[in-house]
Amino acid sequence: MEMEKGKVVVEKVRGKSTVIRSFSKYPLKFITPRKMGSSITDAVWIYSLTYGGGIVSGDSISVEFTIGDDCTAVLTTQSSTKVYKSLGSKCSEQVLEKQVFRVVSDSSLVIVDWFTSGRHESGEKWDFELYRSSNCIFAEGNQPVFLDTVLLEQSSPVDIAERMHEYQVIAMVLIYGPKLKHVQDQVQENVKRLMSQQLQIPSTRLGCCAKTNSDNCLVRPAFIASCSAFGPKGMGVVVRVASTTTEAVYRFLHHQLAGMEPLLGVSPYS
């Protein structure tokens, strides 16, 4: 199978973070806007997309990014990538098996990795055989800092849709590095307060009673989030989210990452 590849190198040019090399091969495409956010903010934005709006049978994409010293780069991927289902014995797949990040001691890294069940309003809910996404962070000396895998797999007797109940979105937000300590502290406080409020809301307002034909009604909030620290001296924070709607996740991401606007020039998910 031919491997489609892309490579981006960001270095300082005249005191500004700049893409000095950008290569991509069909169906992958990189777009670097000339202006994004405030002109006084040193951050370069890179849009990654695939022609045709999705991954089809035979596609396999590998990308390498090198971010130089004292540079800031934002990579956004296509927000609505669709894996087209195949017919008969043909196989269509999108593999996000391993994303590897290597960081130096004073580097900062933010990862937002989320996945939806499909067009659930039209009945498409978790209609696939396997989903696996791994994120690995290594510090200097190849020291593992964060090793994580999300796995959804069809199995008998309970399939993915049944295990996910009414949740249609799962997400992970990872915030790592000394320059983002203020964002980490705020996110941890926000998640703690949010979930405390959720647990006090009556189930009728949540609209999430999972069982109505029994005396013991199992209540599942429409939106749940957890937060935990990781890495040496708690230098990183990971937030995990499950939601019944996509809009709720957008609102959550916008609110939690608003503290990054001074670094990026714009507020993420605004």
Side-chain angles (χ1 to χ4, degrees), residues 34-243:
R34 293 184 178 180
K35 184 178 180 181
M36 187 70 181
S38 172
S39 59
I40 64 174
T41 303
D42 179 29
V44 59
W45 287 67
I46 305 160
Y47 295 95
S48 172
L49 56 88
T50 52
Y51 287 107
I55 307 298
V56 298
S57 182
D59 286 347
S60 183
I61 297 173
S62 175
V63 183
E64 178 183 350
F65 293 90
T66 302
I67 313 302
D69 292 342
D70 201 28
C71 291
T72 300
V74 181
L75 171 67
T76 68
T77 57
Q78 198 166 2
S79 60
S80 57
T81 298
K82 172 70 176 177
V83 180
Y84 295 105
K85 295 189 68 176
S86 58
L87 299 175
S89 60
K90 294 182 180 180
C91 177
S92 288
E93 63 179 7
Q94 179 182 9
V95 180
L96 297 175
E97 186 174 357
K98 198 166 191 180
Q99 299 183 104
V100 178
F101 302 87
R102 303 188 184 278
V103 297
V104 296
S105 58
D106 60 346
S107 295
S108 297
L109 175 68
V110 176
I111 304 172
V112 180
D113 187 3
W114 65 325
F115 185 64
T116 67
S117 65
R119 296 178 177 174
H120 55 270
E121 291 185 355
S122 60
E124 185 183 64
K125 298 181 180 180
W126 310 109
D127 188 14
F128 54 84
E129 296 299 321
L130 173 69
Y131 171 83
R132 180 172 59 231
S133 179
S134 297
N135 291 281
C136 305
I137 302 175
F138 295 91
E140 293 170 301
N142 210 34
Q143 179 70 28
V145 174
F146 182 81
L147 306 174
D148 181 79
T149 297
V150 175
L151 175 65
L152 295 175
E153 186 176 14
Q154 297 287 13
S155 62
S156 180
V158 182
D159 60 17
I160 297 174
E162 187 173 352
R163 294 200 303 271
M164 295 301 292
H165 302 287
E166 294 303 313
Y167 296 117
Q168 307 301 333
V169 187
I170 55 174
M172 180 192 76
V173 182
L174 183 146
I175 307 171
Y176 175 82
K179 295 180 181 179
L180 299 176
K181 186 66 168 61
H182 65 290
V183 179
Q184 297 172 12
D185 292 343
Q186 188 62 56
V187 167
Q188 290 186 86
E189 182 62 31
N190 290 345
V191 170
K192 181 180 179 180
R193 182 173 61 253
L194 172 66
M195 294 315 298
S196 296
Q197 294 171 350
Q198 284 273 50
L199 294 176
Q200 295 175 7
I201 299 175
S203 60
T204 53
R205 288 184 57 190
L206 293 174
C208 57
C209 184
K211 296 181 180 179
T212 57
N213 58 351
S214 64
D215 294 333
N216 297 320
C217 180
L218 178 60
V219 177
R220 295 187 179 90
F223 184 96
I224 55 175
S226 66
C227 188
S228 58
F230 70 90
K233 300 180 180 179
M235 285 184 62
V237 166
V238 60
V239 182
R240 302 186 188 277
V241 170
S243 175

Side-chain angles (χ1 to χ4, degrees), residues 12-24:
K12 281 284 189 180
V13 177
R14 297 177 181 176
K16 298 286 289 184
S17 300
T18 306
V19 175
I20 64 170
R21 183 184 177 191
S22 178
F23 164 77
S24 59

